[in-house]
Short mmCIF file of all heavy atoms in Angstrom, two decimals:
data_model
loop_
_atom_site.label_atom_id
_atom_site.label_comp_id
_atom_site.label_asym_id
_atom_site.label_seq_id
_atom_site.Cartn_x
_atom_site.Cartn_y
_atom_site.Cartn_z
N LEU L 1132 -147.50 -177.99 -51.78
CA LEU L 1132 -147.92 -177.12 -52.87
C LEU L 1132 -146.74 -176.29 -53.38
O LEU L 1132 -146.57 -176.12 -54.60
CB LEU L 1132 -149.03 -176.19 -52.40
CG LEU L 1132 -149.55 -175.16 -53.43
CD1 LEU L 1132 -150.14 -175.87 -54.64
CD2 LEU L 1132 -150.57 -174.22 -52.78
N TYR L 1153 -123.19 -175.70 -76.82
CA TYR L 1153 -122.20 -176.00 -77.86
C TYR L 1153 -121.14 -177.00 -77.38
O TYR L 1153 -120.60 -177.77 -78.18
CB TYR L 1153 -121.49 -174.70 -78.28
CG TYR L 1153 -122.33 -173.81 -79.15
CD1 TYR L 1153 -122.58 -172.48 -78.78
CD2 TYR L 1153 -122.88 -174.26 -80.34
CE1 TYR L 1153 -123.34 -171.64 -79.58
CE2 TYR L 1153 -123.65 -173.43 -81.14
CZ TYR L 1153 -123.88 -172.12 -80.76
OH TYR L 1153 -124.63 -171.30 -81.55
N GLY L 1164 -115.28 -191.89 -73.61
CA GLY L 1164 -113.94 -192.42 -73.41
C GLY L 1164 -113.80 -193.14 -72.09
O GLY L 1164 -113.14 -194.18 -72.00
N GLY L 1193 -118.98 -185.14 -68.07
CA GLY L 1193 -119.14 -185.88 -69.32
C GLY L 1193 -119.58 -187.31 -69.10
O GLY L 1193 -120.40 -187.84 -69.86
N LEU L 1248 -131.80 -166.70 -63.73
CA LEU L 1248 -130.89 -167.74 -64.20
C LEU L 1248 -131.21 -168.18 -65.62
O LEU L 1248 -130.32 -168.51 -66.40
CB LEU L 1248 -130.97 -168.97 -63.29
CG LEU L 1248 -130.28 -168.89 -61.94
CD1 LEU L 1248 -130.36 -170.24 -61.24
CD2 LEU L 1248 -128.83 -168.47 -62.07
N GLU L 1250 -132.07 -166.65 -68.27
CA GLU L 1250 -131.61 -165.82 -69.39
C GLU L 1250 -130.31 -166.30 -70.01
O GLU L 1250 -130.09 -166.15 -71.20
CB GLU L 1250 -131.47 -164.37 -68.93
CG GLU L 1250 -132.80 -163.68 -68.75
CD GLU L 1250 -132.62 -162.21 -68.41
OE1 GLU L 1250 -132.12 -161.92 -67.31
OE2 GLU L 1250 -132.98 -161.36 -69.24
N HIS L 1299 -116.18 -180.70 -62.18
CA HIS L 1299 -116.13 -179.37 -62.80
C HIS L 1299 -115.11 -178.51 -62.07
O HIS L 1299 -114.96 -178.60 -60.84
CB HIS L 1299 -117.49 -178.69 -62.76
CG HIS L 1299 -117.56 -177.43 -63.55
ND1 HIS L 1299 -117.61 -176.20 -62.95
CD2 HIS L 1299 -117.54 -177.20 -64.89
CE1 HIS L 1299 -117.64 -175.25 -63.88
NE2 HIS L 1299 -117.60 -175.83 -65.07
N GLY L 1301 -115.22 -175.62 -61.22
CA GLY L 1301 -115.81 -174.68 -60.27
C GLY L 1301 -115.59 -175.06 -58.82
O GLY L 1301 -116.05 -174.35 -57.93
N SER L 1304 -114.66 -172.49 -56.29
CA SER L 1304 -115.65 -171.67 -55.60
C SER L 1304 -116.02 -172.30 -54.25
O SER L 1304 -116.29 -171.58 -53.29
CB SER L 1304 -116.91 -171.50 -56.46
OG SER L 1304 -117.57 -172.74 -56.67
N ILE L 1306 -113.96 -174.22 -52.41
CA ILE L 1306 -112.81 -173.97 -51.53
C ILE L 1306 -112.82 -172.52 -51.05
O ILE L 1306 -112.55 -172.23 -49.89
CB ILE L 1306 -111.50 -174.28 -52.28
CG1 ILE L 1306 -111.46 -175.75 -52.75
CG2 ILE L 1306 -110.30 -173.97 -51.40
CD1 ILE L 1306 -111.50 -176.76 -51.64
N TYR L 1312 -116.12 -168.09 -45.14
CA TYR L 1312 -116.78 -168.34 -43.86
C TYR L 1312 -115.81 -168.20 -42.70
O TYR L 1312 -116.17 -167.66 -41.64
CB TYR L 1312 -117.43 -169.71 -43.85
CG TYR L 1312 -118.87 -169.68 -44.30
CD1 TYR L 1312 -119.20 -169.66 -45.65
CD2 TYR L 1312 -119.91 -169.64 -43.37
CE1 TYR L 1312 -120.52 -169.61 -46.07
CE2 TYR L 1312 -121.24 -169.60 -43.78
CZ TYR L 1312 -121.53 -169.58 -45.13
OH TYR L 1312 -122.84 -169.52 -45.53
N GLY L 1343 -103.05 -185.11 -61.14
CA GLY L 1343 -102.29 -184.75 -59.96
C GLY L 1343 -102.10 -183.26 -59.80
O GLY L 1343 -102.99 -182.45 -60.07
N ASP L 1360 -112.17 -162.70 -75.80
CA ASP L 1360 -112.90 -163.05 -77.02
C ASP L 1360 -114.09 -163.96 -76.77
O ASP L 1360 -114.76 -164.37 -77.72
CB ASP L 1360 -111.94 -163.71 -78.03
CG ASP L 1360 -110.80 -162.78 -78.43
OD1 ASP L 1360 -111.09 -161.62 -78.77
OD2 ASP L 1360 -109.64 -163.21 -78.38
N LYS L 1370 -120.63 -153.58 -73.41
CA LYS L 1370 -121.45 -153.07 -74.51
C LYS L 1370 -122.40 -154.15 -75.04
O LYS L 1370 -123.56 -153.88 -75.33
CB LYS L 1370 -120.54 -152.56 -75.63
CG LYS L 1370 -121.29 -151.90 -76.77
CD LYS L 1370 -120.32 -151.33 -77.81
CE LYS L 1370 -121.07 -150.66 -78.94
NZ LYS L 1370 -120.14 -150.10 -79.97
N LYS L 1393 -131.98 -152.89 -44.99
CA LYS L 1393 -131.56 -153.59 -43.76
C LYS L 1393 -130.38 -152.85 -43.12
O LYS L 1393 -130.31 -152.70 -41.89
CB LYS L 1393 -131.16 -155.02 -44.13
CG LYS L 1393 -130.64 -155.86 -42.96
CD LYS L 1393 -131.76 -156.30 -42.05
CE LYS L 1393 -131.24 -157.17 -40.90
NZ LYS L 1393 -130.68 -158.44 -41.38
N LYS L 1399 -129.87 -147.20 -37.72
CA LYS L 1399 -130.77 -146.40 -36.90
C LYS L 1399 -130.92 -146.97 -35.48
O LYS L 1399 -131.10 -146.22 -34.53
CB LYS L 1399 -132.14 -146.30 -37.57
CG LYS L 1399 -132.16 -145.39 -38.79
CD LYS L 1399 -133.57 -145.30 -39.37
CE LYS L 1399 -133.61 -144.32 -40.54
NZ LYS L 1399 -134.97 -144.22 -41.14
N LEU L 1411 -123.63 -156.19 -37.70
CA LEU L 1411 -123.49 -156.61 -39.10
C LEU L 1411 -123.05 -158.06 -39.17
O LEU L 1411 -122.14 -158.49 -38.44
CB LEU L 1411 -122.47 -155.73 -39.82
CG LEU L 1411 -122.82 -154.26 -40.06
CD1 LEU L 1411 -121.64 -153.55 -40.72
CD2 LEU L 1411 -124.06 -154.15 -40.94
N THR L 1414 -120.04 -162.32 -42.49
CA THR L 1414 -120.00 -163.47 -43.41
C THR L 1414 -120.96 -163.25 -44.57
O THR L 1414 -120.61 -163.47 -45.73
CB THR L 1414 -120.36 -164.77 -42.67
OG1 THR L 1414 -119.44 -164.98 -41.61
CG2 THR L 1414 -120.32 -165.97 -43.61
N ALA L 1423 -121.39 -160.78 -56.03
CA ALA L 1423 -121.83 -159.64 -56.86
C ALA L 1423 -120.69 -159.20 -57.77
O ALA L 1423 -120.91 -158.88 -58.96
CB ALA L 1423 -122.28 -158.48 -55.97
N LYS L 1431 -121.07 -165.30 -67.07
CA LYS L 1431 -121.10 -166.74 -66.83
C LYS L 1431 -121.23 -167.07 -65.34
O LYS L 1431 -121.75 -168.12 -64.98
CB LYS L 1431 -119.84 -167.37 -67.40
CG LYS L 1431 -119.83 -168.88 -67.39
CD LYS L 1431 -118.61 -169.41 -68.11
CE LYS L 1431 -118.63 -170.92 -68.22
NZ LYS L 1431 -117.48 -171.44 -68.99
N THR L 1441 -130.62 -164.84 -53.25
CA THR L 1441 -131.90 -165.45 -52.89
C THR L 1441 -131.90 -165.85 -51.42
O THR L 1441 -132.88 -165.62 -50.69
CB THR L 1441 -132.19 -166.68 -53.76
OG1 THR L 1441 -132.10 -166.32 -55.14
CG2 THR L 1441 -133.57 -167.24 -53.46
N LYS L 1481 -146.19 -180.28 -77.87
CA LYS L 1481 -145.46 -181.54 -77.95
C LYS L 1481 -143.98 -181.26 -77.81
O LYS L 1481 -143.39 -180.54 -78.61
CB LYS L 1481 -145.74 -182.24 -79.28
CG LYS L 1481 -147.16 -182.75 -79.43
CD LYS L 1481 -147.34 -183.50 -80.75
CE LYS L 1481 -148.75 -184.04 -80.89
NZ LYS L 1481 -148.93 -184.76 -82.18
N THR L 1488 -131.70 -175.28 -86.09
CA THR L 1488 -130.83 -175.26 -87.27
C THR L 1488 -130.30 -173.87 -87.59
O THR L 1488 -129.46 -173.72 -88.47
CB THR L 1488 -131.59 -175.80 -88.50
OG1 THR L 1488 -132.81 -175.05 -88.67
CG2 THR L 1488 -131.93 -177.26 -88.32
N LEU L 1504 -116.85 -185.71 -97.83
CA LEU L 1504 -115.82 -184.67 -97.90
C LEU L 1504 -114.87 -184.84 -96.71
O LEU L 1504 -115.17 -184.42 -95.61
CB LEU L 1504 -116.47 -183.29 -97.88
CG LEU L 1504 -117.47 -182.97 -98.99
CD1 LEU L 1504 -117.99 -181.54 -98.85
CD2 LEU L 1504 -116.85 -183.17 -100.36
N LEU L 1522 -118.56 -185.93 -87.33
CA LEU L 1522 -117.76 -186.22 -88.52
C LEU L 1522 -116.43 -186.94 -88.26
O LEU L 1522 -115.79 -187.39 -89.21
CB LEU L 1522 -117.49 -184.92 -89.29
CG LEU L 1522 -118.72 -184.21 -89.84
CD1 LEU L 1522 -118.31 -182.91 -90.53
CD2 LEU L 1522 -119.50 -185.11 -90.79
N VAL L 1573 -123.06 -164.63 -91.06
CA VAL L 1573 -123.06 -163.30 -90.45
C VAL L 1573 -121.66 -162.71 -90.38
O VAL L 1573 -121.50 -161.51 -90.16
CB VAL L 1573 -123.67 -163.33 -89.03
CG1 VAL L 1573 -125.13 -163.72 -89.09
CG2 VAL L 1573 -122.89 -164.28 -88.12
N ASP L 1581 -116.89 -166.02 -100.50
CA ASP L 1581 -117.84 -166.14 -101.61
C ASP L 1581 -117.31 -165.45 -102.87
O ASP L 1581 -117.64 -165.83 -104.00
CB ASP L 1581 -119.18 -165.54 -101.20
CG ASP L 1581 -120.35 -166.30 -101.81
OD1 ASP L 1581 -120.12 -167.37 -102.40
OD2 ASP L 1581 -121.49 -165.81 -101.69
#
Side-chain angles (χ1 to χ4, degrees):
L1132 178 61
Y1153 286 124
L1248 284 185
E1250 286 185 292
H1299 188 253
S1304 65
I1306 300 298
Y1312 268 81
D1360 299 311
K1370 185 176 180 180
K1393 178 75 179 295
K1399 287 182 177 180
L1411 292 177
T1414 301
K1431 188 174 185 177
T1441 306
K1481 291 183 179 180
T1488 55
L1504 301 182
L1522 297 178
V1573 296
D1581 215 9

